[in-house]
Amino acid sequence: MRTRFILSETWTSLKRNVPMIISVMLVTFISFVFIGASALLQVQVNKAKGDWYSKVEVVVYLCPDGSSQAATCAAGKAPTQQEIVELQDFIHQELRDNVSKITYVSRDDFYKNTFLKKYPDGKYQGRTLTAADMQDSLQLKLKDPTKYKMVSEVLSGKTGVESVVDQKQIFDPVFAVLNKATVVTVALAAVMVVVAILLTGTTIRMSAASRKNETEIMRLVGASNWTIQLPFILEGLFASLVGSLLASGALAAIVQLFITDGIAQSVSWIPFVTQGTVWLISPALVLGAMLLSIIASVVSLHRYLKA
């Protein structure tokens, strides 16, 4: 009997406050679209980091024959094979905790397998280059890509080494921008969450005020505060549930239209978030919205009924 009464009161309240319920739905929808977008953006950053960082290599360019601006190449000659072997032994000894694999790439191999693939006619900046214009290098696979600076510091001043280039330096600015974008979306989401809590609390309080006589009668017949509050809590809970479900649906549509059927079709070298990612975070969005609604409703009603 009590359950039927509570559900009846909730349905009556929903019918009476349609405009306010819709406003709570919309604010919840917008708020959790921002929250979901920030979560998806951070997942995207982490996926890209995990994939790209696993491919990061430190490339040690050895001195070429002829003039070079590097002080370590003052001799004007490329290192001999014996000197290259000694450099590899040095790396194994000094950087064994950082370097997992060393690959020697000769100037001929680099010319055939890399340079000619990028410039099939062999021309670069108006000049026709040959293998003699290339330089030997060592490609170092790191155990921990985040420690590339240590490797660079050890090898940069080594005789026979012209320069040390880390591919991670290319990715870091990109990730910095993406992380800043995540911070912005999180800040906007936080503002919208506060707005959603305030609006939900205000809506529930106004709904209770519009039925003041009914709540007073319920008090007189001995109804508990929980029985009085529950219909209003369910009202806000319903609005937040619908709003968060709409937000999840909107995020799924955005990912499908702009990523799965859009960017991912033309850019294959980046791992993108998928529909699975959206459905993975959706339960958290829905439960979060419902929890915030319950908190806002209970606090608002407690103040109203106490007054």
Side-chain angles (χ1 to χ4, degrees), residues 189-204:
V191 172
M192 294 305 299
V193 165
V194 172
V195 172
I197 292 174
L198 293 176
L199 181 57
T200 301
T202 301
T203 301
I204 298 303

Side-chain angles (χ1 to χ4, degrees), residues 233-290:
I233 294 173
L234 292 176
E235 179 183 339
L237 199 61
F238 173 78
S240 297
L241 173 63
V242 174
S244 59
L245 289 175
L246 290 175
S248 298
L251 290 171
I254 291 171
V255 169
Q256 184 66 39
L257 292 174
F258 294 101
I259 297 181
T260 305
D261 295 338
I263 301 175
Q265 298 298 316
S266 56
V267 181
S268 58
W269 48 274
I270 300 177
F272 290 102
V273 294
T274 62
Q275 292 292 334
T277 311
V278 177
W279 299 126
L280 188 63
I281 68 171
S282 291
L285 295 179
V286 173
L287 291 176
M290 294 172 67

Side-chain angles (χ1 to χ4, degrees), residues 131-261:
D133 298 306
M134 305 295 110
Q135 60 193 113
D136 298 333
S137 64
L138 297 176
Q139 295 179 351
L140 311 183
K141 188 70 176 178
L142 304 185
K143 296 179 180 179
D144 183 356
T146 62
K147 296 182 178 179
Y148 69 94
K149 289 185 178 179
M150 181 184 299
V151 177
S152 179
E153 289 173 358
V154 171
L155 297 176
S156 292
K158 191 72 176 171
T159 301
V161 174
E162 182 182 40
S163 63
V164 180
V165 177
D166 174 41
Q167 296 168 333
K168 186 174 181 291
Q169 297 174 5
I170 301 173
F171 302 140
D172 280 348
V174 177
F175 291 136
V177 172
L178 292 175
N179 285 329
K180 288 180 181 178
T182 303
V183 171
V184 172
T185 56
V186 168
L188 290 173
V191 172
M192 294 305 299
V193 165
V194 172
V195 172
I197 292 174
L198 293 176
L199 181 57
T200 301
T202 301
T203 301
I204 298 303
R205 188 165 59 250
M206 291 179 65
S207 178
S210 68
R211 297 165 61 190
K212 184 176 181 180
N213 291 336
E214 296 175 27
T215 56
E216 288 296 332
I217 292 173
M218 292 175 67
R219 277 181 173 178
L220 291 174
V221 298
S224 64
N225 284 339
W226 179 247
T227 302
I228 297 173
Q229 293 178 36
L230 193 54
F232 302 109
I233 294 173
L234 292 176
E235 179 183 339
L237 199 61
F238 173 78
S240 297
L241 173 63
V242 174
S244 59
L245 289 175
L246 290 175
S248 298
L251 290 171
I254 291 171
V255 169
Q256 184 66 39
L257 292 174
F258 294 101
I259 297 181
T260 305
D261 295 338

